Amino acid sequence: MAKSAKIQKVLAMPQLIWGWRSYWIRGVFCWFVGVIILLNQSKDNFDLRFQIRGASLQQNNIVIVNISEREWALIRGNQDSNTIQNGVDHLSSLSDTYFWHESTWVHVLKKSLSLNPEVIGVSFVFGHNIAPLSSSNRDLEILRNSKIVWGAELDNEGKIIYPRFARRFDDNSGILELNPDTDGILRRFTNGLGPTNHFAAQLAKKFDSQSQIEADLGFIINYQGPSRTFETISLYELLTEPDNSRRFVGKIMIFGAENSPGHTYQTPTGPMSESESLANIVDNIIYSRNIQRIPYSVYVFLLAGLIILSAWNVFRFNQLTSFIFHFITTVILLAFSAWAFDAAYIFIPSLPIAITGFCSYIIFLSYQSNIYEHRAWQLEQEKQYLHDIEKLKQNFVSLISHDLKTPIAKIQGTVDKLMSARPNDKNLESDLKSLRQSGTELNRYIRSILQVSRVEAADFRINRKPTDINDLTESVLTELHPLAKQKHIQLSKALEPMFSIEIDEILIREVIHNLIENAIKYTPQRGHIEVRTTESDQQISLLVKDNGPGIPENELNDVWTKFYRGQSEKDGQSNGSGLGLYLVKYFVELHGGTVFINSQIGNGTEIGFYLPIPNSETDEMKEQV
Ligand code: ATP
Ligand code: MG
C-alpha cells in the first residue's frame, strides 16, 4: 500500500514539475544570463578589482633597480660596442645585449653585494648574445655569487639558453618567461618549466627557502598595486646615493630595464616593467598571496541559489520590502566579494551576482504583477457575474412575489366569504380559521421578501417627512393589540412627548411593527411587554422590553442577519422568514441610526433603536443634495 503510494508520488513528479514551469523557466533564463556574463565578463571584472583597490602592499621586501636606456648609455660612456654576437637576434635578448657591459656589471654587483641584500635578481638575459667573459677570476666570482639569480631564456625549440655565468647544477639562474593572456594582459604566472625554475620562483626560494610555489601549474597574480608600488630606485641613484647602506639589507633587489622593448607588460593595473611584474610574483610566492578563484561549477550553483532567494523574496514580501531586501542582499554580496578579494585573495566575480540578482528580481516581480493583474481581472469578472445573478434573482423574486399576491388575496377573500356564511360544522370553521391564518402569514412573508428586494435595489431612495414617532407607535400598538390579546399578553407603553422628526414613515412604522410583533410572537401566554420612547438632545430612542424566553448570547449578533431564525424557531415552534430584524437594522441604518439588543436566557429581551435628530440646516442641505 505504502509502496504504491510512493510510486504514485514519483509518477506525479513530472506533472508537478510541469505545473511549476512558469517559475523555473524564468529561473533558468536568469541563470543562463548569469552564466553567460560569468564566462564573458569575469576578466574585466577581475581587472577592475585591482584598479579599484589601488596599492595594497603590506610587506616591502623588494626593491627594484631601474635601468633606463639613456642612463645606461651615460654610465657606460662611449665604451666598446662589440658585445653583440652575430646570429643571435631572434630573441628579446637582442635588446638585452645593449645592457651588457662586463666591467660595469662587475662594478654594479660588487656595490650591490656590499649593501648586503638577501638576493639579487638580474632580469636580463646575458647568454650567448654576449661576448665571452674576459674578467679576472675575482671579478668572475662576483658575477657567479650565489646571492645572484641571472635570467635564462627558452629558445624557439623550448631549450633553455643559460646565462654565461650559470653554474648549471646550481641555482643562480631562472627562466624569464611571462605569458600574457590572449588579450595581451599578464594575469597568470606559470612555473611549469621542468628542472629549472622560473626566475621569480628562484628569487623567492633564495629569499625564503620555505616559500613554496602553490602548484607547478601556476597561479593568478595578485598585483599589489600599479606601477611604482614597490620601492624603486634608478641605477644611478644606487651607485651615487651616499646613504644606501641600510636600504637593501636582507631584501630582494631586482635589476631590470625601465621601459625598453621586451621589458614591459600590460597588467590589470596598467603597463608595468618586467621587473615590477616579477616583484609582484615573488611577493605572491613568499607570502602566499596569489589569487584563488572558486571553481565555475560552484559559482553556477551559487547563482542558482541567488535566483531562488530572489524569487522567494519577491513572492514572500510586499513590493517595498522586497526591493529593500533585494538591495541589501546585493550590497552584502558585493561587499563580501570585495572583502574576499582583499582579505582572503579569493576572486568571486561580482557582475554576474549583481546582474543575475537584478534580472531575476525584475523578471519575478513582473511575473508577480502579472499574476495579480490576472487575479484582479478574474475578481472583477466574478463580481460582475455575481452582480448580474443578484439582479436576476431580485427581479425573479419580486416578479414571483408580486404574482403570488393576487391569488392569495383571492383565496383570503373566498375564505372570508365562507366564514361570514357561518358554517355549522365546527371542524370546517376551525379549518377555515387556520386557512385564514396561513394566508396572512404567507402574505406577510411575501411582503417581507418584496421589501428586501426593493430596498436592496440600487435605485432605492428613502422618502423623509416630519413624523411623530409616538403616533406611529400608538398606531402599531393598536394594530397589534388583537394579537397580544389572543395570548393574554399585557401591552404597556411609556411614550415621552417629542417633536416630529424627518423620517420615512413607512419604513420606521415597519421597524416598530417588527419589534413589537417579535415581542408578542416570542413571549409566552400572559407575558408582559413594555414599549418606551425617549428623547434627548441629539437622538430619540425606542425600546421594546418583554419578559419572554430571551435570546442565547451567541445568537445576539446573528439575529440581525438575513434569513436568520433562532434555534428554537428553526425547530418549528413558530413561523417566520427571519427577515424581520434584518429589515429593522437596514431601515434604521438608512436613517443614520443604530440598533441595540440586550437579552438573557430566561430574563426577557430589550430591543430597540436610536435615531439621530437631524439639525434642520444640515437636513435642508441633504434635501438639496
Ligand atoms: P419574521 O419576523 O421574518 O417573520 P422571525 O421573527 O423569525 O421571522 P426576525 O424578526 O428577524 O425573524 O428575528 C430573528 C430571530 O430572533 C427570531 O427567529 C428569534 O429567534 C429571535 N428573536 C427576535 N426577537 C425576539 C424576542 N423578542 N424574544 C426572543 N427571541 C427573539
Ligand atoms: Mg420577526
Side-chain angles (χ1 to χ4, degrees), residues 476-493:
V476 173
L477 280 172
T478 316
E479 190 187 334
L480 289 174
H481 193 257
L483 203 63
K485 207 174 157 198
Q486 267 177 21
K487 292 176 81 177
H488 305 288
I489 288 173
Q490 191 193 337
L491 274 181
S492 61
K493 59 184 177 187

Side-chain angles (χ1 to χ4, degrees), residues 518 521-522 546 551 559 564-566 569 576-581 605:
N518 271 356
K521 194 157 141 190
Y522 299 113
D546 65 48
I551 303 169
V559 295
Y564 184 83
R565 306 210 64 221
E569 280 65 57
S577 62
L579 287 171
L581 291 185
T605 305

